[in-house]
Amino acid sequence: MEEELRVRLNDHQVSKVFPVKPKSTAKPVSKSETPESRYWSSFKNHSIPNLVSSVSALAFSPVHPYSLAVAHSATVSLFSSHSLSSSRRFSFRDVVSSVCFRSDGALFAACDLSGVVQVFDIKERMALRTLRSHSAPARFVKYPFQDKLHLVSGGDDGVVKYWDVAGATVISDLLGHKDYVRCGDFSPVNDSMLVTGSYDHTVKVWDTRVDKSKWIAEINHGLPVEDVVYLPSGGMIATAGGNSVKVWDLIGGGKMVCSMESHNKTVTSLCVARMESAETRLVSVALDGYMKVFDYGRAKVTYSMRFPAPLMSLGLSPDGSTRVIGGSNGMVFASKKKLRDVVEEKKSLSLWSVRSQVDETRRRALRPTYFRYFQRGQSEKPSEEDYLVKEKKGLKLTRHDKLLKKFRHKEALVSVLEEKKPANVVAVMEELVARRKLMKCVSNMEEGELGMLLGFLQRYCTVQRYSGLLMGLTKKVLETRAEDIKGITEFTGLLRNLKREVNQEIRIQQSLLEIQGVIAPLMRIAGRS
Amino acid sequence: MIRGGRSYVTSPPSFSNDAKKLLVCTGNTVSVFSAATGLQITSLEGHTALVTTLIVVPASTPAQKILCYCWTASLDGTIRHWDFSGPELLKTIDAQLPIYSMVIPSLLSEPQKIDKRRELSGKLVAFVSVEDISVVNEGSKELRGHIRRFNLAKPRVPRGDTLKETAEPESIVISPSGEFFGIRHKCKIHIWDVPSGGSRHAVSRKMTLHHTKVINAFAFHPTERVIAAGDVTGRVLIWRGFGNRKLALGNQKKKVRATVDLDNPGVRGEDDTESCTTWHWHSAEVNVLNFSSDGAYLYSGGREGVLVVWQLDTGKKKFLPRIGSPLLYFVRSPDPTLSSVVCADNQIHLLKMPSMEILRTISGIKPPPSLPRMYEGLASTVAFDRSSGIAALCTENYCVQLYNLLNDRGISEIQVCERNHQPGDEITVVVTAVALSLDGSVMSTTEVKLPEDGIGGLVSLKFWASEPDSKTFTLSTIVYEPHRDARVSAIAFHPTRSMAVSTSFGGDFKIWVCNSDKKQTDKDSSWICHAVGSYKKKPMTAAAFSGDGTVLAVAAENVITLWNPDKNILLSVLGTTLTPVTKLCFAGKSEFLVSASHFPRPELSVWNTSKLSLSWSYGLRIEAVTSAVDSSAFAVLAVIPKSFKTDESNENIFRGRDGAILLFNGSDPKPVSIWTVIKAKGGSISFLEGDKSQLRLAYVNGSREYVVFDPNSDESHERSAVDYDSLTGLEETGDAGYTSLYGQLPDYDKKRMEDVDSLATPFISSERPWETIFSGSTLNFPPLQKLCAEFFESLMEKRTAVVE
């Protein structure tokens, strides 16, 4: 304590220089930064070049390197999730509505609005199978989590079809929806359980093992269902319809667990995200351009982010490093997280490169004959238990500060006027006022400098933040330098503009006063009641 | 009882022989500080008036360096000899006249000359500058200052013999070799040589140097015959080879040619010097002049607060700039790497010598800032942290000094405005007020930038959050123009929550809340405006929160309005006072509200907020009000009107004291106790509540001396008898006086007989309840029983006064 006291007193007495700073402006109230929001905002944006039209579906391959399939217009493009560069394109006869990878990532299925479901090998251009049975546009296609031989599709004919891919035959038609089927998902724990959602407001749970095409459970969302996903436990599902996202407990008999209604427009897509902390979140995007992260365990929206377009589709890579959102204007908002894996990779690498490391240490043995010897240790990182001694930061003085320090007041004012930073100019003027030198500076200004000052005053004297000082100064300048200003023709334009600015400001003030006069009685009445 | 805040700068300090201690004259005592830590070690107590001179007996041999003897001279007319390691008083010599300055040449002269034998034989001669008041009446010219020789060893001839008479007592300067001493007197320097002969009757020879300006300071060269003098215009004159003719040593006496005068450059008239050179750097008066110990350098300083080092041979300069306050003294230490410079703002800086770095600072309480007239007496420039006993004081250099009243030690300084203070410059920025929250965690300051030619004025309000570990504050929020361009008249903090209110003369008040109320981290806390209120567009002059924080009282000129601070609802309006209210304070947790106003008619009123009526009032001018948190006790600092003081009968009661602290309890108009104090104008008081729930009252007077005492305990009364008389002149005038005044009559008479002079009779006319009881609306009258009792009581009291 004693020691500290002394240090502080010394610090205080050492001669100080206070640089002229503009007045600090009000800062927005900073949001409390939670680890959650830090995680979600740590994604770095990467641009994907404009695609032609609305991005209707996105899908990530479940195996490394997690390539990305983007369905837009009548095309499916494959992107590498690492570099986000397009690698391959598959074209269709009609607009592609849904796309899904098989569990091994070797094949993917896509359906289009002509009602055809096609299965592609990611390495070949031509379709392996073409599954025709839907009589109306097909809306979704989904592979089971493990099973490689079957898939399910649904469409505007209200029929959900369970396919045998190899034979290109329908195993069973799951009938029951009374309106367009828009979405569906397989259970992550059982390859024969699936849910489908439809515009008839219901979500139906099917078991493909039951031959009778009768659903085993039904949930009413209350609004046309846009998307449905299984949560990782397999016992709960989340449905999106209208503005709301609802979480249901299937095992508990289809009870609603919680509901999130913070979107303003129709929620278009849902996705389950696994964070670094192994917690899972429900991510939703909607036509209002917002992406929301919903912690369904705590029934709380933990993060919200706005995009400049209505959002249509959403995909998160299985390793959680890439987030892709498709917009209705053909934009794909891809963003990648900086991976810490790089370090781990290095570690694994170093196992193999022991020898090279030995070489390195030998090379590093520095001797005083090397120049680097004298720089050794300069870039050393401190370890955790080291006590850090902070280097004193030197004060950086700007040009006007240096001039003010030398009491060259007018030159300081002129130099800051040249900089064209109004906040700094006003700060220097305030400092000159405190030194009682502003009027002297003004009266000593030469023609060009005076022009510069008048130009500045004309531009900023009605700005609210500076007007307190500048209005008075303008008046003074015009009074004291009247004859100098009169004689010069260049100033007439400046003065005209100045006059116009001031008149305009007066008009604004008057109209504001009028509005206030109208509002005040209303406010009083409102306050009384 | 704790007393402190004394000035460290009344006379030059002195280093001990080992340069590890610094002796400083602090009022009636000499404080010994450690040069290594800057903390006080001990103090020499015994003088009964201001100590003016302090001479440490120098060590002639290295072995003697541990000796710690010193001489002090004081205005009480005594010279004392101390052992300050003890500390122990060795000897007291009565000189009978107030001593303003003293030198003892024989201590400084060659070491072999001094030995015990000689000292015993009466060689210890001092030259003193005294004020002889007795002469005043005789002579037509008032030559009150006398320079006298005084034998310390044989104080049988107490008056000594007079060398010179001046109008005012001057300070004596002695050469480091002990050969010469001199005084400055207007434009002249008179120099005497110290008679070297053994006999004490040898007459000192005298010479005079002339200049055209008033000389402020001068110094002797340690080895050569060189004198440096500084004048009021900032010039430094160096006279070389002074006194070659007049003060030549006896055995070397030569006939000097008479023509010498002609080729003495720069020498004025008949002055006995070889040459005179002038250096001019200082723009204002030179106050400090001192040669380095080897005589190669000259240190000078003055009002600019810059220490200049001149190389004596070449005149080259080096500077220690921006000390920020006029320099008063520069003192060398026996250690060549250490010296100290004393500033007018009550700071002693210890300098590391060749580089002139400030090693550490012995920080006294800083003097109050000189506010422009319009800010005087409005907002308080002193705030108290009640729990820790720390006062926050506005200072001249745009800082707030945190001063621990209980330890009498400066803690830290907080730069409120980012500006350097230059003494002597026109004041353009003023820190007008400081306020501390009840727990001391938040500080609020207001500052005003005065406009130039009507443009560029700025008022800003700042909130500071305390650092948890160290007692300093960091800036949390700046509010520019909190009430447009109107000045802030008062700031008050909520007693429990982080909420503050600021009132302005522009007719509104604002309630500020800290938005980090629920968060744990103070880092990004900021204060935002919660509500704005106004009452009939009247200037708001004072504000106070009630003890539990549910009611906010704001004075709108002479109307007191009560608000709900959370909902910003006007609860009610208390009756009007006659004059604008300047201070408001709730009496603890009770429902009583104290208001004070002083222009044009001073008034102290106590309101009952539950009955919305005036309880009682006095016609006293109040400087400060404070109330205890837990009890309903409150204390006011009243300025005693001039008419009382000049009154013949009261003169012996007040003896120069111009104020009184009155302690009241709740609604009772009888003060529990009264203390009279000096320099009440600009003073402030506050209750301090320590850990032991001990209630103490702190009083800081106009020149920032302070006293902390227990208002209730008798123990302090006993001690005060000694302490009060000894120093700042605070004294009890019998707190029994007031109770007797209003108590039973027989008792009253008895007391009166006992101590007539200490009775507080002057207060009879100062409070005249019959004048105020009937003022205001009839609805506000107190109940009849009370009214009558009060009225009759006042009549009775008046009658006794007449009888007396």
Side-chain angles (χ1 to χ4, degrees):
Chain A
M1 182 61 209
E2 214 53 77
E3 196 63 36
E4 242 177 73
L5 187 78
R6 201 180 313 154
V7 168
R8 199 165 332 104
L9 289 175
N10 290 349
D11 276 353
H12 160 72
Q13 287 298 343
V14 169
S15 60
K16 294 160 284 185
V17 177
F18 298 113
V20 172
K21 277 180 294 189
K23 276 189 260 180
S24 54
T25 50
K27 269 175 243 152
V29 179
S30 62
K31 265 194 295 180
S32 59
E33 187 152 272
T34 58
E36 178 109 19
S37 67
R38 212 174 300 135
Y39 173 82
W40 287 106
S41 54
S42 68
F43 282 89
K44 279 270 167 61
N45 281 337
H46 286 262
S47 61
I48 285 190
N50 257 357
L51 305 173
V52 180
S53 72
S54 170
V55 179
S56 51
L58 293 165
F60 273 101
S61 162
V63 296
H64 196 78
Y66 311 120
S67 54
L68 165 69
V70 178
H72 57 97
S73 180
T75 321
V76 170
S77 304
L78 277 186
F79 289 86
S80 128
S81 79
H82 189 67
S83 60
L84 292 172
S85 56
S86 173
S87 58
R88 200 175 281 272
R89 291 162 78 92
F90 304 88
S91 41
F92 290 76
R93 251 175 297 158
D94 208 333
V95 175
V96 182
S97 56
S98 176
V99 61
C100 180
F101 276 95
R102 202 169 72 169
S103 58
D104 58 357
L107 304 183
F108 74 89
C111 58
D112 62 19
L113 295 190
S114 64
V116 176
V117 178
Q118 286 176 298
V119 179
F120 290 87
D121 189 322
I122 58 165
K123 296 203 173 77
E124 287 176 35
R125 284 177 62 84
M126 295 307 292
L128 293 177
R129 293 286 184 278
T130 305
L131 315 176
R132 292 172 206 271
S133 174
H134 281 292
S135 55
R139 287 295 182 174
F140 88 92
V141 60
K142 204 83 186 174
Y143 264 107
F145 269 73
Q146 301 292 326
D147 184 6
K148 295 178 183 172
L149 302 174
H150 302 95
L151 57 79
V152 73
S153 71
D156 287 358
D157 51 3
V159 186
V160 179
K161 290 178 191 288
Y162 188 62
W163 297 86
D164 172 31
V165 180
T169 51
V170 177
I171 297 173
S172 54
D173 280 338
L174 306 175
L175 299 167
H177 282 298
K178 299 189 190 76
D179 207 336
Y180 301 164
V181 177
R182 299 297 287 209
C183 52
D185 195 16
F186 270 98
S187 162
V189 291
N190 188 341
D191 279 345
S192 56
M193 299 286 287
L194 73 144
V195 290
T196 58
S198 148
Y199 273 11
D200 62 359
H201 302 188
T202 60
V203 172
K204 294 189 196 306
V205 187
W206 311 87
D207 190 342
T208 52
R209 293 166 295 192
V210 180
D211 210 16
K212 295 270 176 291
S213 63
K214 174 77 178 161
W215 63 92
I216 51 174
E218 189 190 52
I219 286 163
N220 194 347
H221 182 85
L223 285 163
V225 179
E226 291 284 351
D227 202 359
V228 57
V229 288
Y230 261 103
L231 297 181
S233 63
M236 302 219 281
I237 59 165
T239 58
N243 298 348
S244 61
V245 174
K246 292 178 180 174
V247 178
W248 307 85
D249 187 358
L250 284 186
I251 295 168
K255 272 193 304 185
M256 190 174 81
V257 178
C258 55
S259 146
M260 187 266 281
E261 300 187 4
S262 57
H263 282 290
N264 294 322
K265 285 187 180 171
T266 306
V267 181
T268 50
S269 185
L270 285 177
C271 198
V272 174
R274 186 180 290 276
M275 302 212 313
E276 273 173 344
S277 51
E279 288 177 77
T280 51
R281 297 281 183 270
L282 193 60
V283 186
S284 62
V285 295
L287 292 179
D288 58 2
Y290 276 95
M291 178 196 84
K292 305 237 176 203
V293 178
F294 183 59
D295 183 353
Y296 52 87
R298 289 182 294 153
K300 203 174 160 189
V301 176
T302 53
Y303 187 71
S304 176
M305 188 172 173
R306 169 136 204 211
F307 290 91
L311 305 178
M312 300 299 292
S313 50
L314 166 71
L316 284 154
S317 73
D319 62 347
S321 68
T322 314
R323 183 184 68 203
V324 187
I325 295 170
S328 67
N329 58 354
M331 287 289 285
V332 175
F333 306 102
S335 43
K336 283 178 66 70
K337 195 162 174 57
K338 263 194 193 163
L339 279 182
R340 297 224 182 105
D341 303 3
V342 183
V343 184
E344 285 165 26
E345 267 172 44
K346 251 194 188 165
K347 265 184 198 162
S348 61
L349 269 177
S350 65
L351 279 178
W352 305 105
S353 58
V354 176
R355 243 182 77 187
S356 69
Q357 213 173 21
V358 170
D359 285 349
E360 208 173 8
T361 49
R362 194 178 299 154
R363 207 181 62 224
R364 268 198 190 161
L366 291 166
R367 264 169 260 139
T369 48
Y370 300 157
F371 175 65
R372 282 199 296 133
Y373 175 83
F374 298 101
Q375 294 183 321
R376 69 197 188 282
Q378 280 186 5
S379 55
E380 201 77 13
K381 290 265 162 59
S383 62
E384 272 177 29
E385 61 268 22
D386 283 349
Y387 178 77
L388 291 181
V389 179
K390 289 246 169 64
E391 199 181 357
K392 248 193 192 163
K393 264 191 188 160
L395 204 60
K396 199 171 183 188
L397 288 183
T398 52
R399 200 158 143 241
H400 56 259
D401 277 326
K402 283 176 193 155
L403 289 167
L404 281 174
K405 227 178 126 194
K406 291 175 192 158
F407 303 99
R408 287 154 70 176
H409 295 125
K410 193 194 79 177
E411 285 159 64
L413 182 57
V414 171
S415 88
V416 78
L417 278 171
E418 279 164 359
E419 271 174 36
K420 298 201 189 337
K421 284 181 188 155
N424 285 0
V425 178
V426 173
V428 169
M429 283 175 176
E430 277 168 355
E431 174 65 24
L432 289 174
V433 166
R435 297 183 182 196
R436 296 285 179 267
K437 289 288 181 293
L438 182 59
M439 290 326 291
K440 192 154 272 179
C441 286
V442 168
S443 60
N444 286 342
M445 275 186 157
E446 280 161 31
E447 193 179 299
E449 295 159 357
L450 192 60
M452 208 150 54
L453 179 66
L454 281 175
F456 173 80
L457 290 176
Q458 177 252 314
R459 191 175 301 168
Y460 293 106
C461 73
T462 53
V463 175
Q464 188 265 333
R465 202 189 302 168
Y466 313 128
S467 60
L469 173 69
L470 294 187
M471 274 301 193
L473 180 65
T474 311
K475 205 163 154 241
K476 284 274 174 199
V477 169
L478 294 180
E479 274 173 15
T480 51
R481 303 297 300 265
E483 55 274 10
D484 300 311
I485 295 168
K486 257 181 225 159
I488 297 154
T489 46
E490 292 106 69
F491 290 172
T492 49
L494 280 175
L495 287 184
R496 203 186 316 118
N497 289 345
L498 184 62
K499 203 171 168 185
R500 197 186 56 218
E501 290 280 333
V502 172
N503 282 335
Q504 196 177 342
E505 184 64 25
I506 290 170
R507 245 177 287 133
I508 291 170
Q509 294 289 337
Q510 268 170 349
S511 58
L512 284 177
L513 278 177
E514 279 166 23
I515 293 169
Q516 198 181 5
V518 173
I519 291 174
L522 296 176
M523 296 295 280
R524 182 147 304 177
I525 292 163
R528 207 179 292 155
S529 59
Chain B
M1 209 190 71
I2 302 156
R3 188 192 298 282
R6 282 160 285 199
S7 173
Y8 292 169
V9 298
T10 50
S11 32
S14 182
F15 278 98
S16 68
N17 285 323
D18 52 2
K20 283 176 183 158
K21 291 172 185 170
L22 184 68
L23 284 78
V24 181
C25 301
T26 50
N28 299 0
T29 60
V30 174
S31 300
V32 183
F33 288 90
S34 158
T37 60
L39 300 175
Q40 188 173 348
I41 303 168
T42 177
S43 69
L44 314 178
E45 290 167 9
H47 281 291
T48 56
L50 194 70
V51 179
T52 52
T53 310
L54 172 66
I55 302 167
V56 174
V57 177
S60 46
T61 58
Q64 284 184 336
K65 284 209 170 179
I66 47 159
L67 291 183
C68 301
Y69 295 110
C70 70
W71 291 88
T72 58
S74 155
L75 290 184
D76 62 1
T78 56
I79 299 168
R80 288 171 197 241
H81 190 206
W82 307 81
D83 180 354
F84 59 82
S85 63
E88 195 182 349
L89 177 61
L90 301 177
K91 197 194 232 177
T92 306
I93 297 156
D94 194 0
Q96 292 170 359
L97 288 172
I99 301 168
Y100 281 82
S101 181
M102 175 178 79
V103 292
I104 307 175
S106 51
L107 291 178
L108 297 165
S109 51
E110 295 303 304
Q112 63 268 23
K113 283 188 184 171
I114 289 188
D115 54 345
K116 281 270 190 265
R117 208 158 23 81
R118 273 199 161 162
E119 196 175 320
L120 288 174
S121 71
K123 194 61 208 78
L124 202 60
V125 169
F127 293 89
V128 293
S129 165
V130 295
E131 183 179 32
D132 195 347
I133 312 149
S134 60
V135 209
V136 172
N137 300 331
E138 308 162 6
S140 53
K141 275 181 165 181
E142 295 189 349
L143 298 175
R144 287 182 291 133
H146 288 212
I147 306 295
R148 293 186 176 178
R149 193 163 69 170
F150 196 84
N151 194 330
L152 297 175
K154 290 183 199 160
R156 280 194 303 265
V157 193
R159 285 290 173 110
D161 38 356
T162 305
L163 294 175
K164 170 83 185 163
E165 292 182 350
T166 52
E168 293 290 325
E170 303 284 349
S171 70
I172 312 177
V173 179
I174 189 163
S175 74
S177 60
E179 285 177 273
F180 308 100
F181 65 92
I183 59 164
R184 61 188 165 81
H185 181 227
K186 290 179 185 160
C187 304
K188 284 176 268 185
I189 297 176
H190 302 290
I191 301 164
W192 291 268
D193 74 337
V194 177
S196 52
S199 75
R200 67 180 193 74
H201 295 292
V203 183
S204 328
R205 283 165 299 178
K206 175 189 164 189
M207 65 166 287
T208 306
L209 294 170
H210 297 84
H211 183 47
T212 51
K213 299 280 175 350
V214 174
I215 290 168
N216 254 358
F218 73 102
F220 289 95
H221 193 277
T223 50
E224 293 165 41
R225 290 192 162 198
V226 175
I227 282 187
D231 69 10
V232 285
T233 60
R235 262 167 264 217
V236 177
L237 297 107
I238 313 283
W239 282 290
R240 290 169 201 272
F242 68 89
N244 278 344
R245 282 170 290 157
K246 290 181 182 166
L247 305 182
L249 296 174
N251 47 2
Q252 306 166 346
K253 201 177 278 176
K254 296 181 235 167
K255 215 52 196 160
V256 187
R257 288 169 296 142
T259 52
V260 152
D261 286 1
L262 297 176
D263 53 344
N264 286 359
V267 177
R268 197 167 296 279
E270 296 280 303
D271 284 358
D272 180 17
T273 60
E274 281 172 7
S275 67
C276 175
T277 47
T278 305
W279 288 335
H280 199 173
W281 181 87
H282 293 279
S283 58
E285 67 203 39
V286 178
N287 290 330
V288 175
L289 272 179
N290 210 332
F291 284 95
S292 66
S293 53
D294 59 352
Y297 296 96
L298 173 69
Y299 300 94
S300 74
R303 258 185 79 194
E304 309 92 346
V306 180
L307 185 67
V308 186
V309 187
W310 307 82
Q311 201 174 3
L312 203 61
D313 292 336
T314 60
K316 280 182 184 161
K317 300 180 286 287
K318 247 174 72 183
F319 304 98
L320 173 63
R322 291 209 199 106
I323 299 173
S325 181
L327 306 186
L328 293 180
Y329 314 108
F330 176 85
V331 178
R332 293 193 312 260
S333 78
D335 180 1
T337 62
L338 190 69
S339 63
S340 89
V341 60
V342 179
C343 297
D345 60 353
N346 215 357
Q347 311 280 306
I348 302 174
H349 304 296
L350 296 173
L351 303 184
K352 189 179 161 187
M353 220 28 224
S355 58
M356 295 206 294
E357 279 172 62
I358 293 178
L359 275 179
R360 62 193 60 90
T361 301
I362 297 169
S363 167
I365 202 161
K366 286 202 166 186
S370 54
L371 296 179
R373 179 166 289 275
M374 56 196 208
Y375 295 104
E376 267 175 18
L378 280 178
S380 61
T381 55
V382 184
F384 297 88
D385 179 358
R386 295 179 163 217
S387 50
S388 57
I390 287 170
L393 311 124
C394 294
T395 63
E396 188 89 31
N397 55 347
Y398 322 120
C399 286
V400 166
Q401 185 188 25
L402 296 182
Y403 198 86
N404 194 330
L405 299 180
L406 306 178
N407 297 349
D408 194 10
R409 187 188 302 165
I411 297 169
S412 60
E413 264 181 47
I414 301 137
Q415 188 84 37
V416 174
C417 307
E418 293 210 322
R419 296 189 63 77
N420 281 309
H421 174 68
Q422 180 59 31
D425 276 7
E426 187 187 352
I427 296 168
T428 57
V429 180
V430 195
V431 179
T432 52
V434 59
L436 277 174
S437 66
L438 204 64
D439 57 348
S441 64
V442 187
M443 181 173 78
S444 174
T445 58
T446 57
E447 69 204 55
V448 177
K449 271 190 187 169
L450 303 176
E452 177 195 8
D453 270 2
I455 57 170
L458 181 72
V459 182
S460 38
L461 173 71
K462 288 180 178 171
F463 290 97
W464 306 76
S466 73
E467 298 275 295
D469 48 342
S470 53
K471 267 293 170 189
T472 182
F473 287 85
T474 48
L475 185 60
S476 140
T477 309
I478 311 179
V479 185
Y480 296 108
E481 303 191 321
H483 301 276
R484 307 223 188 144
D485 53 350
R487 299 197 319 263
V488 176
S489 54
I491 315 167
F493 277 97
H494 193 280
T496 49
R497 283 189 293 143
S498 46
M499 179 188 267
V501 62
S502 68
T503 61
S504 87
F505 295 108
D508 60 343
F509 69 90
K510 286 190 180 177
I511 296 172
W512 308 87
V513 291
C514 187
N515 64 1
S516 72
D517 233 355
K518 47 254 170 200
K519 269 188 275 174
Q520 297 90 342
T521 52
D522 286 345
K523 257 297 167 260
D524 50 341
S525 72
S526 64
W527 289 74
I528 50 172
C529 184
H530 170 68
V532 186
S534 67
Y535 183 77
K536 294 185 177 172
K537 296 265 186 281
K538 284 187 177 179
M540 300 289 195
T541 47
F545 280 100
S546 67
D548 53 355
T550 51
V551 178
L552 168 68
V554 183
E557 271 193 323
N558 42 13
V559 182
I560 299 171
T561 54
L562 301 179
W563 301 74
N564 179 337
D566 292 313
K567 295 176 182 164
N568 198 31
I569 299 169
L570 179 64
L571 298 174
S572 61
V573 178
L574 278 183
T576 57
T577 58
L578 295 171
T579 52
V581 174
T582 53
K583 300 254 173 358
L584 274 181
C585 182
F586 274 91
K589 288 216 157 44
S590 68
E591 73 270 28
F592 294 102
L593 175 67
V594 187
S595 76
S597 52
H598 59 72
F599 188 80
R601 242 205 61 187
E603 191 174 339
L604 167 72
S605 323
V606 173
W607 305 79
N608 189 332
T609 54
S610 58
K611 291 178 189 160
L612 300 178
S613 64
L614 181 70
S615 296
W616 49 269
S617 79
Y618 285 125
L620 282 175
R621 182 186 162 151
I622 301 302
E623 276 291 325
V625 187
T626 182
S627 75
V629 171
D630 299 321
S631 64
S632 63
F634 67 93
V636 298
L637 174 64
V639 178
I640 298 168
K642 280 225 174 63
S643 53
F644 288 146
K645 279 188 283 180
T646 49
D647 199 343
E648 276 289 314
S649 61
N650 298 331
E651 202 132 307
N652 54 350
I653 299 174
F654 291 113
R655 289 198 291 265
R657 296 178 197 117
D658 56 357
I661 299 173
L662 304 133
L663 181 68
F664 293 93
N665 203 348
S667 61
D668 194 2
K670 290 179 253 173
V672 179
S673 5
I674 300 173
W675 300 268
T676 56
V677 294
I678 57 165
K679 292 180 196 162
K681 204 161 272 186
S684 59
I685 52 172
S686 173
F687 279 104
L688 302 181
E689 278 120 9
D691 317 323
K692 295 161 275 176
S693 71
Q694 185 194 11
L695 193 70
R696 281 183 287 189
L697 196 58
Y699 164 63
V700 179
N701 73 9
S703 56
R704 297 258 167 106
E705 291 158 328
Y706 69 85
V707 62
V708 179
F709 59 98
D710 187 345
N712 298 323
S713 88
D714 294 333
E715 178 261 339
S716 90
H717 293 185
E718 287 161 20
R719 284 181 59 194
S720 68
V722 183
D723 289 346
Y724 271 171
D725 277 336
S726 62
L727 196 56
T728 24
L730 281 153
E731 203 202 37
E732 310 258 326
T733 52
D735 59 323
Y738 232 93
T739 47
S740 66
L741 211 77
Y742 276 100
Q744 305 88 349
L745 268 175
D747 186 30
Y748 168 74
D749 281 340
K750 190 188 81 195
K751 285 240 166 136
R752 246 188 130 79
M753 298 306 283
E754 277 172 10
D755 41 7
V756 175
D757 64 335
S758 72
L759 256 177
T761 34
F763 288 99
I764 291 169
S765 49
S766 79
E767 65 87 34
R768 280 181 279 195
W770 62 89
E771 273 191 357
T772 48
I773 286 171
F774 298 108
S775 68
S777 158
T778 45
L779 295 171
N780 291 346
F781 276 177
L784 193 64
Q785 298 94 336
K786 200 178 168 190
L787 194 69
C788 285
E790 233 175 277
F791 181 59
F792 282 122
E793 220 168 55
S794 67
L795 282 182
M796 277 154 63
E797 177 258 311
K798 192 179 180 189
R799 193 178 143 85
T800 54
V802 167
V803 167
E804 187 64 25

